[in-house]
mmCIF file of all heavy atoms in Angstrom:
data_model
loop_
_atom_site.group_PDB
_atom_site.id
_atom_site.type_symbol
_atom_site.label_atom_id
_atom_site.label_comp_id
_atom_site.label_asym_id
_atom_site.label_seq_id
_atom_site.Cartn_x
_atom_site.Cartn_y
_atom_site.Cartn_z
ATOM 1 N N GLY A 73 111.011 107.357 106.314
ATOM 2 C CA GLY A 73 111.442 108.820 106.178
ATOM 3 C C GLY A 73 112.176 109.166 105.009
ATOM 4 O O GLY A 73 113.077 108.338 104.531
ATOM 5 N N VAL A 74 111.929 110.205 104.311
ATOM 6 C CA VAL A 74 112.496 110.568 103.112
ATOM 7 C C VAL A 74 113.164 111.929 103.224
ATOM 8 O O VAL A 74 112.372 112.922 103.651
ATOM 9 C CB VAL A 74 111.570 110.667 101.916
ATOM 10 C CG1 VAL A 74 112.000 111.012 100.536
ATOM 11 C CG2 VAL A 74 110.793 109.286 101.822
ATOM 12 N N TRP A 75 114.379 112.177 102.969
ATOM 13 C CA TRP A 75 115.116 113.353 102.952
ATOM 14 C C TRP A 75 115.376 113.691 101.479
ATOM 15 O O TRP A 75 115.871 112.947 100.679
ATOM 16 C CB TRP A 75 116.498 113.274 103.556
ATOM 17 C CG TRP A 75 116.507 113.056 105.199
ATOM 18 C CD1 TRP A 75 116.469 114.135 106.054
ATOM 19 C CD2 TRP A 75 116.217 111.866 106.003
ATOM 20 N NE1 TRP A 75 116.389 113.554 107.302
ATOM 21 C CE2 TRP A 75 116.187 112.160 107.227
ATOM 22 C CE3 TRP A 75 116.024 110.535 105.454
ATOM 23 C CZ2 TRP A 75 116.058 111.299 108.244
ATOM 24 C CZ3 TRP A 75 115.845 109.624 106.585
ATOM 25 C CH2 TRP A 75 115.859 110.007 107.838
ATOM 26 N N LEU A 76 114.976 114.848 101.133
ATOM 27 C CA LEU A 76 115.084 115.285 99.834
ATOM 28 C C LEU A 76 115.454 116.778 99.553
ATOM 29 O O LEU A 76 115.246 117.624 100.614
ATOM 30 C CB LEU A 76 113.900 114.927 99.003
ATOM 31 C CG LEU A 76 112.467 115.374 99.479
ATOM 32 C CD1 LEU A 76 112.054 116.759 99.010
ATOM 33 C CD2 LEU A 76 111.466 114.352 98.843
ATOM 34 N N ILE A 77 116.000 117.088 98.386
ATOM 35 C CA ILE A 77 116.240 118.535 97.947
ATOM 36 C C ILE A 77 115.420 118.880 96.778
ATOM 37 O O ILE A 77 115.366 118.032 95.788
ATOM 38 C CB ILE A 77 117.742 118.709 97.731
ATOM 39 C CG1 ILE A 77 118.483 118.405 99.011
ATOM 40 C CG2 ILE A 77 118.037 119.997 97.145
ATOM 41 C CD1 ILE A 77 120.059 118.537 98.798
ATOM 42 N N TYR A 78 114.773 120.069 96.727
ATOM 43 C CA TYR A 78 114.012 120.387 95.577
ATOM 44 C C TYR A 78 114.451 121.713 95.171
ATOM 45 O O TYR A 78 114.786 122.613 96.077
ATOM 46 C CB TYR A 78 112.460 120.213 95.766
ATOM 47 C CG TYR A 78 111.912 121.033 96.853
ATOM 48 C CD1 TYR A 78 111.419 122.259 96.609
ATOM 49 C CD2 TYR A 78 111.906 120.593 98.179
ATOM 50 C CE1 TYR A 78 110.814 122.969 97.705
ATOM 51 C CE2 TYR A 78 111.354 121.346 99.222
ATOM 52 C CZ TYR A 78 110.723 122.554 98.889
ATOM 53 O OH TYR A 78 110.216 123.277 99.898
ATOM 54 N N ARG A 79 114.342 122.103 93.920
ATOM 55 C CA ARG A 79 114.818 123.335 93.425
ATOM 56 C C ARG A 79 113.543 124.149 93.059
ATOM 57 O O ARG A 79 112.801 123.785 92.261
ATOM 58 C CB ARG A 79 115.686 123.211 92.181
ATOM 59 C CG ARG A 79 116.350 124.535 91.832
ATOM 60 C CD ARG A 79 117.146 124.312 90.562
ATOM 61 N NE ARG A 79 116.331 124.563 89.392
ATOM 62 C CZ ARG A 79 116.671 124.512 88.029
ATOM 63 N NH1 ARG A 79 117.914 124.134 87.913
ATOM 64 N NH2 ARG A 79 115.941 124.695 87.091
ATOM 65 N N ASN A 80 113.441 125.312 93.820
ATOM 66 C CA ASN A 80 112.454 126.274 93.406
ATOM 67 C C ASN A 80 112.978 127.231 92.171
ATOM 68 O O ASN A 80 114.010 126.797 91.679
ATOM 69 C CB ASN A 80 111.990 127.206 94.471
ATOM 70 C CG ASN A 80 111.029 126.612 95.431
ATOM 71 O OD1 ASN A 80 110.292 125.756 95.013
ATOM 72 N ND2 ASN A 80 110.766 127.128 96.542
ATOM 73 N N LYS A 81 112.299 128.198 91.893
ATOM 74 C CA LYS A 81 112.757 129.105 90.805
ATOM 75 C C LYS A 81 114.200 129.484 90.888
ATOM 76 O O LYS A 81 114.923 129.374 89.859
ATOM 77 C CB LYS A 81 111.741 130.239 90.634
ATOM 78 C CG LYS A 81 111.568 130.778 89.253
ATOM 79 C CD LYS A 81 110.544 131.793 89.208
ATOM 80 C CE LYS A 81 110.039 131.844 87.805
ATOM 81 N NZ LYS A 81 108.933 132.831 87.798
ATOM 82 N N TYR A 82 114.579 129.982 92.101
ATOM 83 C CA TYR A 82 115.933 130.615 92.258
ATOM 84 C C TYR A 82 116.752 129.926 93.337
ATOM 85 O O TYR A 82 118.016 130.373 93.271
ATOM 86 C CB TYR A 82 115.701 132.090 92.585
ATOM 87 C CG TYR A 82 114.899 132.885 91.522
ATOM 88 C CD1 TYR A 82 113.596 133.312 91.695
ATOM 89 C CD2 TYR A 82 115.463 133.025 90.258
ATOM 90 C CE1 TYR A 82 112.949 133.987 90.866
ATOM 91 C CE2 TYR A 82 114.743 133.813 89.270
ATOM 92 C CZ TYR A 82 113.446 134.152 89.567
ATOM 93 O OH TYR A 82 112.769 134.887 88.669
ATOM 94 N N PHE A 83 116.310 129.026 94.140
ATOM 95 C CA PHE A 83 116.971 128.532 95.164
ATOM 96 C C PHE A 83 116.672 127.081 95.517
ATOM 97 O O PHE A 83 115.708 126.543 95.108
ATOM 98 C CB PHE A 83 116.923 129.434 96.424
ATOM 99 C CG PHE A 83 115.484 129.589 96.773
ATOM 100 C CD1 PHE A 83 114.842 128.856 97.701
ATOM 101 C CD2 PHE A 83 114.745 130.814 96.345
ATOM 102 C CE1 PHE A 83 113.460 129.072 97.970
ATOM 103 C CE2 PHE A 83 113.592 131.041 96.662
ATOM 104 C CZ PHE A 83 112.872 130.180 97.617
ATOM 105 N N TYR A 84 117.501 126.397 96.235
ATOM 106 C CA TYR A 84 117.279 125.018 96.722
ATOM 107 C C TYR A 84 116.692 124.997 98.120
ATOM 108 O O TYR A 84 117.167 125.727 99.023
ATOM 109 C CB TYR A 84 118.603 124.246 96.665
ATOM 110 C CG TYR A 84 119.099 123.911 95.233
ATOM 111 C CD1 TYR A 84 119.872 124.751 94.446
ATOM 112 C CD2 TYR A 84 118.650 122.761 94.544
ATOM 113 C CE1 TYR A 84 120.347 124.526 93.326
ATOM 114 C CE2 TYR A 84 119.089 122.509 93.181
ATOM 115 C CZ TYR A 84 119.887 123.400 92.718
ATOM 116 O OH TYR A 84 120.420 123.109 91.312
ATOM 117 N N ASN A 85 115.908 123.947 98.412
ATOM 118 C CA ASN A 85 115.311 123.839 99.628
ATOM 119 C C ASN A 85 115.519 122.302 100.083
ATOM 120 O O ASN A 85 115.302 121.440 99.182
ATOM 121 C CB ASN A 85 113.754 124.159 99.792
ATOM 122 C CG ASN A 85 113.573 125.594 99.574
ATOM 123 O OD1 ASN A 85 114.302 126.363 99.957
ATOM 124 N ND2 ASN A 85 112.393 125.857 98.988
ATOM 125 N N SER A 86 115.687 122.072 101.331
ATOM 126 C CA SER A 86 115.829 120.717 101.865
ATOM 127 C C SER A 86 114.552 120.365 102.621
ATOM 128 O O SER A 86 113.978 121.234 103.297
ATOM 129 C CB SER A 86 117.067 120.352 102.618
ATOM 130 O OG SER A 86 117.035 121.312 103.676
ATOM 131 N N SER A 87 114.048 119.175 102.518
ATOM 132 C CA SER A 87 112.900 118.794 103.313
ATOM 133 C C SER A 87 112.975 117.424 103.816
ATOM 134 O O SER A 87 113.704 116.571 103.260
ATOM 135 C CB SER A 87 111.725 119.116 102.388
ATOM 136 O OG SER A 87 110.504 118.763 103.207
ATOM 137 N N TYR A 88 112.121 117.098 104.805
ATOM 138 C CA TYR A 88 112.036 115.655 105.352
ATOM 139 C C TYR A 88 110.531 115.435 105.566
ATOM 140 O O TYR A 88 109.743 116.298 106.007
ATOM 141 C CB TYR A 88 112.682 115.732 106.761
ATOM 142 C CG TYR A 88 112.440 114.469 107.607
ATOM 143 C CD1 TYR A 88 113.021 113.186 107.216
ATOM 144 C CD2 TYR A 88 111.420 114.434 108.532
ATOM 145 C CE1 TYR A 88 112.684 112.023 107.744
ATOM 146 C CE2 TYR A 88 111.201 113.248 109.260
ATOM 147 C CZ TYR A 88 111.820 112.139 108.875
ATOM 148 O OH TYR A 88 111.485 111.007 109.570
ATOM 149 N N ILE A 89 110.143 114.213 105.021
ATOM 150 C CA ILE A 89 108.701 113.847 105.146
ATOM 151 C C ILE A 89 108.661 112.383 105.526
ATOM 152 O O ILE A 89 109.613 111.699 105.424
ATOM 153 C CB ILE A 89 107.980 114.028 103.859
ATOM 154 C CG1 ILE A 89 108.681 113.285 102.630
ATOM 155 C CG2 ILE A 89 107.831 115.346 103.642
ATOM 156 C CD1 ILE A 89 107.787 113.268 101.446
ATOM 157 N N GLU A 90 107.669 112.016 106.242
ATOM 158 C CA GLU A 90 107.376 110.755 106.734
ATOM 159 C C GLU A 90 106.064 110.132 105.936
ATOM 160 O O GLU A 90 105.091 110.855 105.966
ATOM 161 C CB GLU A 90 107.201 110.519 108.254
ATOM 162 C CG GLU A 90 108.472 110.831 108.955
ATOM 163 C CD GLU A 90 108.197 111.020 110.431
ATOM 164 O OE1 GLU A 90 107.043 110.946 110.809
ATOM 165 O OE2 GLU A 90 109.137 111.186 111.111
ATOM 166 N N LEU A 91 106.273 108.967 105.271
ATOM 167 C CA LEU A 91 105.126 108.480 104.511
ATOM 168 C C LEU A 91 104.773 107.050 104.897
ATOM 169 O O LEU A 91 105.655 106.226 105.260
ATOM 170 C CB LEU A 91 105.582 108.440 102.947
ATOM 171 C CG LEU A 91 105.857 109.782 102.462
ATOM 172 C CD1 LEU A 91 106.485 109.666 101.060
ATOM 173 C CD2 LEU A 91 104.676 110.677 102.217
ATOM 174 N N ASN A 92 103.599 106.670 104.836
ATOM 175 C CA ASN A 92 103.167 105.249 105.025
ATOM 176 C C ASN A 92 103.029 104.603 103.735
ATOM 177 O O ASN A 92 102.424 104.973 102.759
ATOM 178 C CB ASN A 92 101.816 105.198 105.617
ATOM 179 C CG ASN A 92 101.655 105.589 107.010
ATOM 180 O OD1 ASN A 92 102.648 105.218 107.766
ATOM 181 N ND2 ASN A 92 100.649 106.205 107.631
ATOM 182 N N CYS A 93 104.008 103.597 103.586
ATOM 183 C CA CYS A 93 104.111 102.857 102.285
ATOM 184 C C CYS A 93 104.374 101.426 102.434
ATOM 185 O O CYS A 93 104.771 101.003 103.540
ATOM 186 C CB CYS A 93 105.329 103.447 101.515
ATOM 187 S SG CYS A 93 105.416 105.221 101.192
ATOM 188 N N THR A 94 104.144 100.571 101.574
ATOM 189 C CA THR A 94 104.439 99.244 101.676
ATOM 190 C C THR A 94 105.812 98.758 100.945
ATOM 191 O O THR A 94 106.290 97.839 101.206
ATOM 192 C CB THR A 94 103.275 98.434 100.948
ATOM 193 O OG1 THR A 94 103.066 98.850 99.590
ATOM 194 C CG2 THR A 94 101.976 98.567 101.658
ATOM 195 N N SER A 95 106.284 99.678 100.061
ATOM 196 C CA SER A 95 107.638 99.397 99.625
ATOM 197 C C SER A 95 108.360 100.699 99.207
ATOM 198 O O SER A 95 107.616 101.822 99.271
ATOM 199 C CB SER A 95 107.366 98.714 98.248
ATOM 200 O OG SER A 95 106.756 99.505 97.285
ATOM 201 N N LEU A 96 109.631 100.662 98.899
ATOM 202 C CA LEU A 96 110.326 101.860 98.672
ATOM 203 C C LEU A 96 109.923 102.479 97.329
ATOM 204 O O LEU A 96 109.946 103.714 97.213
ATOM 205 C CB LEU A 96 111.940 101.469 98.685
ATOM 206 C CG LEU A 96 112.567 101.399 99.943
ATOM 207 C CD1 LEU A 96 113.976 100.995 99.806
ATOM 208 C CD2 LEU A 96 112.426 102.567 100.839
ATOM 209 N N ASN A 97 109.532 101.666 96.333
ATOM 210 C CA ASN A 97 109.095 102.266 95.047
ATOM 211 C C ASN A 97 107.884 103.088 95.229
ATOM 212 O O ASN A 97 107.698 104.182 94.671
ATOM 213 C CB ASN A 97 108.851 101.139 94.060
ATOM 214 C CG ASN A 97 110.167 100.475 93.521
ATOM 215 O OD1 ASN A 97 111.224 101.165 93.608
ATOM 216 N ND2 ASN A 97 110.156 99.193 93.039
ATOM 217 N N GLU A 98 106.928 102.585 95.945
ATOM 218 C CA GLU A 98 105.670 103.460 96.256
ATOM 219 C C GLU A 98 106.043 104.627 97.041
ATOM 220 O O GLU A 98 105.441 105.608 96.811
ATOM 221 C CB GLU A 98 104.722 102.461 97.025
ATOM 222 C CG GLU A 98 103.450 103.003 97.283
ATOM 223 C CD GLU A 98 102.559 102.324 98.273
ATOM 224 O OE1 GLU A 98 102.825 101.075 98.462
ATOM 225 O OE2 GLU A 98 101.446 102.789 98.663
ATOM 226 N N CYS A 99 107.063 104.510 98.041
ATOM 227 C CA CYS A 99 107.450 105.789 98.667
ATOM 228 C C CYS A 99 108.018 106.803 97.721
ATOM 229 O O CYS A 99 107.701 108.009 97.866
ATOM 230 C CB CYS A 99 108.442 105.325 99.806
ATOM 231 S SG CYS A 99 109.073 106.650 100.765
ATOM 232 N N TYR A 100 108.885 106.399 96.809
ATOM 233 C CA TYR A 100 109.442 107.342 95.878
ATOM 234 C C TYR A 100 108.334 108.047 95.056
ATOM 235 O O TYR A 100 108.325 109.222 94.911
ATOM 236 C CB TYR A 100 110.472 106.686 94.955
ATOM 237 C CG TYR A 100 111.710 106.212 95.542
ATOM 238 C CD1 TYR A 100 112.380 105.028 95.084
ATOM 239 C CD2 TYR A 100 112.295 106.767 96.595
ATOM 240 C CE1 TYR A 100 113.497 104.539 95.690
ATOM 241 C CE2 TYR A 100 113.560 106.470 97.172
ATOM 242 C CZ TYR A 100 114.045 105.336 96.721
ATOM 243 O OH TYR A 100 115.229 104.861 97.347
ATOM 244 N N ASP A 101 107.414 107.162 94.560
ATOM 245 C CA ASP A 101 106.302 107.749 93.812
ATOM 246 C C ASP A 101 105.500 108.763 94.681
ATOM 247 O O ASP A 101 105.161 109.782 94.166
ATOM 248 C CB ASP A 101 105.428 106.612 93.229
ATOM 249 C CG ASP A 101 106.074 105.846 92.175
ATOM 250 O OD1 ASP A 101 107.026 106.394 91.642
ATOM 251 O OD2 ASP A 101 105.603 104.725 91.968
ATOM 252 N N GLN A 102 105.166 108.447 95.886
ATOM 253 C CA GLN A 102 104.360 109.339 96.605
ATOM 254 C C GLN A 102 105.152 110.608 97.037
ATOM 255 O O GLN A 102 104.418 111.702 96.913
ATOM 256 C CB GLN A 102 104.096 108.682 98.040
ATOM 257 C CG GLN A 102 102.929 107.741 97.968
ATOM 258 C CD GLN A 102 102.424 107.146 99.437
ATOM 259 O OE1 GLN A 102 102.866 107.815 100.478
ATOM 260 N NE2 GLN A 102 101.839 106.103 99.499
ATOM 261 N N ALA A 103 106.422 110.515 97.259
ATOM 262 C CA ALA A 103 107.152 111.697 97.609
ATOM 263 C C ALA A 103 107.291 112.577 96.308
ATOM 264 O O ALA A 103 107.073 113.809 96.473
ATOM 265 C CB ALA A 103 108.552 111.345 98.094
ATOM 266 N N LEU A 104 107.551 112.131 95.172
ATOM 267 C CA LEU A 104 107.653 112.832 93.995
ATOM 268 C C LEU A 104 106.231 113.422 93.618
ATOM 269 O O LEU A 104 106.199 114.657 93.250
ATOM 270 C CB LEU A 104 108.118 112.009 92.829
ATOM 271 C CG LEU A 104 109.610 111.535 92.893
ATOM 272 C CD1 LEU A 104 109.913 110.646 91.786
ATOM 273 C CD2 LEU A 104 110.524 112.743 93.024
ATOM 274 N N ASN A 105 105.099 112.735 93.748
ATOM 275 C CA ASN A 105 103.852 113.257 93.404
ATOM 276 C C ASN A 105 103.412 114.335 94.467
ATOM 277 O O ASN A 105 102.897 115.320 94.026
ATOM 278 C CB ASN A 105 102.924 112.150 93.277
ATOM 279 C CG ASN A 105 103.087 111.332 92.176
ATOM 280 O OD1 ASN A 105 103.571 111.655 91.049
ATOM 281 N ND2 ASN A 105 102.496 110.030 92.221
ATOM 282 N N LEU A 106 103.793 114.088 95.572
ATOM 283 C CA LEU A 106 103.473 115.111 96.690
ATOM 284 C C LEU A 106 104.055 116.333 96.505
ATOM 285 O O LEU A 106 103.456 117.387 96.504
ATOM 286 C CB LEU A 106 103.784 114.540 98.125
ATOM 287 C CG LEU A 106 103.626 115.429 99.176
ATOM 288 C CD1 LEU A 106 102.007 115.456 99.600
ATOM 289 C CD2 LEU A 106 104.262 114.794 100.546
ATOM 290 N N PHE A 107 105.407 116.404 96.281
ATOM 291 C CA PHE A 107 106.139 117.609 96.106
ATOM 292 C C PHE A 107 105.837 118.264 94.769
ATOM 293 O O PHE A 107 105.730 119.549 94.643
ATOM 294 C CB PHE A 107 107.698 117.477 96.227
ATOM 295 C CG PHE A 107 108.055 117.585 97.749
ATOM 296 C CD1 PHE A 107 107.887 116.502 98.638
ATOM 297 C CD2 PHE A 107 108.591 118.758 98.262
ATOM 298 C CE1 PHE A 107 108.294 116.546 99.860
ATOM 299 C CE2 PHE A 107 108.941 118.798 99.582
ATOM 300 C CZ PHE A 107 108.719 117.708 100.440
ATOM 301 N N SER A 108 105.568 117.578 93.635
ATOM 302 C CA SER A 108 105.343 118.127 92.441
ATOM 303 C C SER A 108 104.058 118.821 92.462
ATOM 304 O O SER A 108 103.819 119.886 91.815
ATOM 305 C CB SER A 108 105.586 117.177 91.374
ATOM 306 O OG SER A 108 104.570 116.024 91.439
ATOM 307 N N SER A 109 103.080 118.104 93.055
ATOM 308 C CA SER A 109 101.737 118.847 93.029
ATOM 309 C C SER A 109 101.664 119.955 94.239
ATOM 310 O O SER A 109 101.035 121.015 93.965
ATOM 311 C CB SER A 109 100.666 117.747 93.436
ATOM 312 O OG SER A 109 100.871 117.180 94.827
ATOM 313 N N ARG A 110 102.295 119.779 95.342
ATOM 314 C CA ARG A 110 102.220 120.877 96.251
ATOM 315 C C ARG A 110 102.964 122.122 96.051
ATOM 316 O O ARG A 110 102.521 123.213 96.230
ATOM 317 C CB ARG A 110 102.776 120.273 97.630
ATOM 318 C CG ARG A 110 102.637 121.269 98.828
ATOM 319 C CD ARG A 110 103.084 120.681 100.197
ATOM 320 N NE ARG A 110 102.258 119.674 100.539
ATOM 321 C CZ ARG A 110 102.533 118.748 101.702
ATOM 322 N NH1 ARG A 110 103.604 118.996 102.290
ATOM 323 N NH2 ARG A 110 101.776 117.897 101.900
ATOM 324 N N TYR A 111 104.150 121.960 95.451
ATOM 325 C CA TYR A 111 105.073 123.204 95.236
ATOM 326 C C TYR A 111 105.124 123.436 93.826
ATOM 327 O O TYR A 111 105.868 124.315 93.354
ATOM 328 C CB TYR A 111 106.409 122.904 95.816
ATOM 329 C CG TYR A 111 106.451 122.712 97.256
ATOM 330 C CD1 TYR A 111 106.786 121.488 97.873
ATOM 331 C CD2 TYR A 111 106.046 123.788 98.142
ATOM 332 C CE1 TYR A 111 106.703 121.349 99.329
ATOM 333 C CE2 TYR A 111 106.105 123.633 99.591
ATOM 334 C CZ TYR A 111 106.384 122.405 100.083
ATOM 335 O OH TYR A 111 106.350 122.139 101.399
ATOM 336 N N LYS A 112 104.388 122.781 92.892
ATOM 337 C CA LYS A 112 104.499 122.996 91.522
ATOM 338 C C LYS A 112 105.840 122.904 90.941
ATOM 339 O O LYS A 112 106.267 123.762 90.310
ATOM 340 C CB LYS A 112 103.771 124.421 91.168
ATOM 341 C CG LYS A 112 102.398 124.668 91.724
ATOM 342 C CD LYS A 112 101.370 123.704 91.094
ATOM 343 C CE LYS A 112 100.033 124.088 91.527
ATOM 344 N NZ LYS A 112 99.390 123.123 92.566
#
Side-chain angles (χ1 to χ4, degrees):
V74 180
W75 289 264
L76 49 85
I77 294 175
Y78 59 95
R79 190 181 88 179
N80 274 347
K81 210 170 198 178
Y82 302 110
F83 50 89
Y84 288 90
N85 291 329
S86 61
S87 185
Y88 167 76
I89 54 173
E90 294 173 353
L91 299 169
N92 284 326
C93 304
T94 55
S95 67
L96 282 176
N97 288 337
E98 183 183 350
C99 179
Y100 291 147
D101 289 340
Q102 278 188 20
L104 291 176
N105 289 333
L106 179 73
F107 272 83
S108 64
S109 65
R110 182 180 292 173
Y111 299 112
K112 306 294 187 252

